[in-house]
Amino acid sequence: MKKTTIGRSEESTIQIQDPTVSNHHAIIEERDDRFWIVDLKSSNGTFVNGRRITETVIVENDVIHFGTNKKVFAYGTLHEQAPTQIVEPDRNSDLAEKLNTSNIPKLIGVGLVIFAVIAIVVVRSGSDRTETTDSDIYDKPINISNLIATTRPATASLYCSDAEYEYSGSGWPLKTASLGESPSRTLIVTNFHVIEDCDPGTLTLTTGAGTMNAEVIAVDIDADLATLSTNLELNPFKVATEAPIGSWVMAVGNPLGVEGNVTFGTITAQQEGYFITDAAINEGNSGGPLFNSRGEVVGINVAKIEDSDNIGLAIPLLNLCNKLVKCK
């Protein structure tokens, strides 16, 4: 039985030097004149034509992503692009079909830090808090400058380094009972893929309050969520577990190392367990908060639809509160 191993390891038949690819990511094997691909419990997943798989049959011209690394299957092996004589199947359809078959969420928390701009912003007093009514949830808040001023300083830039790579992503403080035994420590929420390859003692957190080491408390690999703790004192963000379609949102994060980047948009849909938003989300935003007009976190920014014009994905807060921590 012919078997091809794919991963970052030097032992792999096809070695892919990409930080989103696991050392032993997947295998392709031939069984009964058909080719099968099997994911080896990789951290960032194996996707065939946009669908995350554990094991499936693959055919000519299937587009396969290992993490964010794209390959095309043809003639029994992987190629950087489809051979010219193979016609790619038509996959144009509605958004739901695109999410499932023609695009792949681009993991955006793991990436090279190009540069860092440390923005220290003074937090406004409690009298400047954002206030809205239920009907205002669909509108941009009147005091948007106050919302920005109170959220940017506490949104964290996360990075770690080892012998090969330096990674970057975002995180934010949450009030929870999970650290009840350690009230002096702050709990930080992020994506698992942001901290996946961090060696112990290499994880650093930077906010408007300063820079300090952080340690991993818990992870949910399937949900792509992680919680950290740090001695850095930060005011936790309020949270909300619902965000209606059409509601105004603001994404805060650190794309490509630019700290405190702010973009605006709306919740345009809910699909495949994600909030879909047209707020710009880019590489490095992963793990950052998605706020509503009340200043409550409704989602954790996680990905963008590759080759799309501002179609971003966020994990609903309810997933975090149900799976990893007790949200207050």
Side-chain angles (χ1 to χ4, degrees):
M1 179 173 60
K2 181 180 177 182
K3 181 181 293 185
T4 302
T5 59
I6 301 99
R8 224 166 60 202
S9 169
E10 293 180 356
E11 302 170 357
S12 302
T13 310
I14 298 177
Q15 187 179 18
I16 304 176
Q17 288 300 330
D18 184 312
T20 67
V21 176
S22 299
N23 286 330
H24 304 283
H25 198 106
I27 61 172
I28 295 175
E29 56 187 11
E30 189 175 2
R31 310 178 203 158
D32 302 324
D33 297 324
R34 294 197 298 176
F35 287 93
W36 292 74
I37 187 167
V38 181
D39 183 80
L40 300 177
K41 297 183 178 180
S42 63
S43 298
N44 291 322
T46 301
F47 300 80
V48 177
N49 299 324
R51 293 182 184 272
R52 187 165 188 168
I53 60 93
T54 54
E55 177 175 312
T56 192
V57 173
I58 52 176
V59 297
E60 294 290 290
N61 210 37
D62 274 346
V63 177
I64 305 173
H65 281 79
F66 304 94
T68 62
N69 190 278
K70 177 183 176 182
K71 302 292 182 186
V72 177
F73 182 77
Y75 303 123
T77 189
L78 298 175
H79 302 263
E80 294 297 326
Q81 59 185 9
T84 54
Q85 58 265 52
I86 296 178
V87 179
E88 186 166 351
D90 181 15
R91 302 189 188 277
N92 293 324
S93 58
D94 58 16
L95 176 60
E97 186 66 13
K98 288 182 180 180
L99 285 170
N100 290 331
T101 61
S102 68
N103 287 300
I104 176 71
K106 183 178 181 182
L107 298 176
I108 56 180
V110 180
L112 293 173
V113 175
I114 296 179
F115 60 95
V117 180
I118 300 177
I120 301 177
V121 184
V122 178
V123 179
R124 299 289 183 89
S125 66
S127 61
D128 288 334
R129 66 183 182 275
T130 302
E131 296 180 357
T132 64
T133 65
D134 289 341
S135 60
D136 292 333
I137 201 72
Y138 297 95
D139 300 322
K140 178 176 71 174
I142 297 175
N143 53 347
I144 190 171
S145 61
N146 296 339
L147 176 60
I148 294 171
T150 55
T151 56
R152 287 181 71 239
T155 299
S157 174
L158 303 173
Y159 61 93
C160 61
S161 47
D162 58 20
E164 296 182 86
Y165 302 104
E166 187 173 85
Y167 302 93
S168 175
S170 306
W172 52 278
L174 171 70
K175 186 176 182 181
T176 174
S178 300
L179 292 180
E181 71 283 1
S182 303
S184 63
R185 296 183 68 80
T186 300
L187 185 134
I188 301 294
V189 176
T190 189
N191 290 133
F192 170 71
H193 72 260
V194 171
I195 54 89
E196 172 193 4
D197 292 312
C198 289
D199 292 330
T202 66
L203 183 57
T204 303
L205 178 150
T206 298
T207 70
T211 298
M212 189 168 290
N213 289 339
E215 62 182 78
V216 178
I217 297 298
V219 300
D220 187 322
I221 297 176
D222 292 336
D224 195 10
L225 293 169
T227 56
L228 322 172
S229 70
T230 178
N231 285 327
L232 200 62
E233 293 186 9
L234 299 168
N235 290 325
F237 294 149
K238 296 179 180 179
V239 298
T241 55
E242 294 182 2
I245 295 173
S247 57
W248 181 93
V249 289
M250 177 179 77
V252 184
N254 309 291
L256 299 175
V258 181
E259 297 182 4
N261 191 70
V262 176
T263 58
F264 310 108
T266 59
I267 298 290
T268 58
Q270 296 185 32
Q271 193 77 44
E272 299 295 317
Y274 294 101
F275 288 141
I276 312 300
T277 178
D278 57 3
I281 294 175
N282 295 292
E283 195 169 338
N285 274 114
S286 264
L290 187 71
F291 293 97
N292 64 15
S293 60
R294 299 180 182 134
E296 301 164 328
V297 179
V298 295
I300 303 102
N301 303 321
V302 66
K304 62 183 283 188
I305 300 298
E306 198 171 12
D307 301 324
S308 69
D309 185 12
N310 287 349
I311 301 180
L313 308 179
I315 300 171
L317 224 289
L318 192 61
N319 290 15
L320 174 74
C321 300
N322 284 344
K323 296 183 177 182
L324 207 58
V325 298
K326 296 180 179 179
C327 301
K328 286 188 176 182

